[in-house]
């Protein structure tokens, strides 16, 4: 199998797993969102530590300890992903899967917005148009919900910020997840210990299957991230960008078709505007990618200087 096909296989695997996450986290009820988050952090740390030990890849920690700015970035990334994970778990287990799917639909638009205000990037007219349509969509959904879709916005901005920090850090997926989980592990363990002391912990007290699912949250977190890293290393960015819509489409399907969450006409109109913005954004990205490749082909290779 060539590397391009392998990249698509990894990408489909990652987004399929993320798309069916609501089915997994629904099974963890009646455990509360914070307890689920704490278990997700602890078991992710253990799972990735075993992978790194098996690969004998622990030397990166010594190099990282000599980079204080990178350590500060890892702490920021850990806090952002904790907010993202916790918000997602809360949304799924409070029967708001549709709103969580909205968050990942608008995430590409939020990434563009962060590029403008954080990286001082200049947008093309089509990108401004996509942002404008996305803003109108949020207004329509705010009227429909009777409030800002704050779960969706929190998911979109936390994951967008996490991606921005990770891009600057440049850590591989397994190493990055290990250090981020390590940052969060101490408060997670402290919270689980406090729950156990109060007698409110659900771990080991409901059923063997429930306990296994809580432990499995570590693998469920790490495996799609590792698959995504494999895809990102093999696929062009535009191809990977097209695949990213698979996860929220599947999550939306779970919310409407499996969990029977409401989708009134006004909410459907808001989603339709989001999808229109994504179409504009994606078509512009594909055109820009073609122009860039054409310009690269048209640029003559430098002639070696004569000796």
């Amino acid at each position: 199998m060539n590397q391009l096909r392998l990249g698509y296989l990894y990408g489909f695997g990652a987004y399929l797993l993320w798309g069916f996450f609501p089915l997994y986290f629904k099974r963890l009820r009646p455990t509360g969102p914070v307890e689920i988050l704490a278990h997700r952090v602890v078991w992710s740390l253990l799972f990735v530590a075993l992978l790194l030990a098996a690969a004998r890849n622990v030397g990166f920690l010594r190099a990282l300890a000599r980079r204080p700015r990178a350590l500060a970035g890892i702490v920021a990334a850990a806090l952002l992903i904790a907010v993202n994970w916790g918000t997602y778990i809360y949304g799924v287990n409070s029967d708001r899967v549709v709103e969580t799917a909205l968050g990942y639909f608008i995430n590409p638009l939020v990434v563009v917005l962060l590029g403008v205000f954080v990286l001082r990037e200049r947008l093309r007219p089509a990108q401004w148009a996509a942002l404008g349509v996305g803003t109108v969509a949020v207004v329509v959904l705010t009227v429909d919900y009777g409030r800002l879709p704050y779960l969706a916005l929190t998911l979109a901005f936390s994951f967008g910020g996490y991606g921005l920090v990770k891009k600057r850090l440049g850590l591989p997926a397994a190493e990055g997840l290990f250090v981020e989980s390590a940052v969060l592990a101490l408060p997670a363990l402290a919270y689980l210990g406090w729950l156990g002391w109060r007698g409110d912990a659900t771990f080991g007290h409901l059923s063997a299957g429930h306990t296994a699912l809580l432990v499995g949250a570590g693998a469920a977190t790490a495996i799609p991230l590792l698959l995504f890293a494999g895809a990102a290393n093999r696929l062009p960015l535009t191809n990977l960008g097209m695949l990213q819509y698979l996860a929220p489409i599947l999550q939306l399907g779970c919310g409407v078709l499996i969990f029977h969450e409401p989708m009134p006409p006004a909410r459907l109109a808001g989603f339709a505007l989001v999808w229109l913005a994504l179409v504009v954004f994606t078509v512009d990205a594909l055109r820009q990618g073609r122009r860039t490749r054409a310009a690269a082909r048209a640029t003559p290779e430098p002639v070696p200087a004569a000796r």
Side-chain angles (χ1 to χ4, degrees):
M1 183 180 296
N2 64 36
Q3 292 300 305
L4 187 64
R5 289 183 180 178
L6 191 59
Y8 277 114
L9 185 62
Y10 285 153
F12 274 114
Y15 286 113
L16 280 173
L17 289 173
W18 280 327
F20 288 115
F21 259 17
L23 302 179
Y24 190 96
F25 286 109
K26 282 279 191 182
R27 300 291 298 171
L28 298 180
R29 293 192 298 186
T31 303
V34 181
E35 186 179 357
I36 295 173
L37 174 62
H39 279 289
R40 190 176 181 183
V41 167
V42 171
W43 298 114
S44 296
L45 176 64
L46 181 60
F47 182 82
V48 179
L50 292 174
L51 288 180
L52 293 175
R56 298 181 179 179
N57 185 17
V58 293
F60 76 96
L61 290 172
R62 289 190 296 271
L64 192 60
R66 296 191 291 268
R67 298 169 57 195
R69 292 185 65 181
L71 290 174
I74 288 169
V75 171
L79 294 175
L80 286 167
I81 202 60
V83 170
N84 184 269
W85 287 354
T87 303
Y88 184 79
I89 294 166
Y90 170 76
V92 168
N93 287 348
S94 59
D95 300 321
R96 291 156 74 177
V97 174
V98 169
E99 191 174 346
T100 63
L102 173 65
Y104 291 107
F105 274 124
I106 65 176
N107 178 67
L109 303 177
V110 168
V111 170
V112 172
L113 199 62
L114 289 173
V116 173
F117 289 102
V118 178
L119 302 179
R120 304 298 180 185
E121 295 178 351
R122 297 182 64 181
L123 298 188
R124 296 182 294 275
Q127 291 175 311
W128 279 117
L131 284 176
V133 175
T135 302
V136 173
V138 171
V139 172
V140 171
L141 290 165
T142 299
V143 173
D144 172 65
Y145 281 113
R147 55 171 173 77
L148 271 175
Y150 61 88
L151 281 183
L153 293 173
T154 302
L155 287 170
F157 276 95
S158 60
F159 198 68
Y162 174 74
L164 180 64
V165 174
K166 292 281 283 185
K167 182 178 177 63
R168 290 186 167 182
L169 289 173
L171 283 177
E175 289 83 344
L177 180 60
F178 174 80
V179 182
E180 291 154 15
S181 300
V183 169
L184 300 170
L186 189 59
L189 286 169
Y191 179 76
L192 292 175
W194 178 71
L195 281 182
W197 176 74
R198 288 186 55 187
D200 294 333
T202 62
F203 184 77
H205 296 287
L206 296 179
S207 68
H210 182 270
T211 301
L213 285 173
L214 281 175
V215 173
T221 297
I223 290 172
L225 279 173
L226 296 174
L227 290 173
F228 175 78
N233 291 335
R234 292 169 174 84
L235 293 179
L237 190 60
T238 50
N239 299 38
L240 193 62
M242 293 294 291
L243 286 178
Q244 72 179 327
Y245 302 129
L246 178 61
I249 288 171
L250 291 173
Q251 291 169 8
L252 180 63
C254 288
V256 175
L257 301 176
I258 297 177
F259 303 129
H260 306 293
E261 294 185 13
M263 180 61 82
R267 192 166 306 169
L268 184 59
F271 269 86
L273 286 171
V274 171
W275 296 328
L276 175 61
L278 291 175
V279 168
V280 173
F281 174 78
T282 304
V283 169
D284 176 72
L286 291 173
R287 286 177 176 172
Q288 185 63 26
R290 283 198 297 268
R291 291 192 193 105
T292 302
R293 289 191 295 271
R297 286 194 298 267
T299 302
E301 294 185 4
V303 179
R307 293 188 178 182

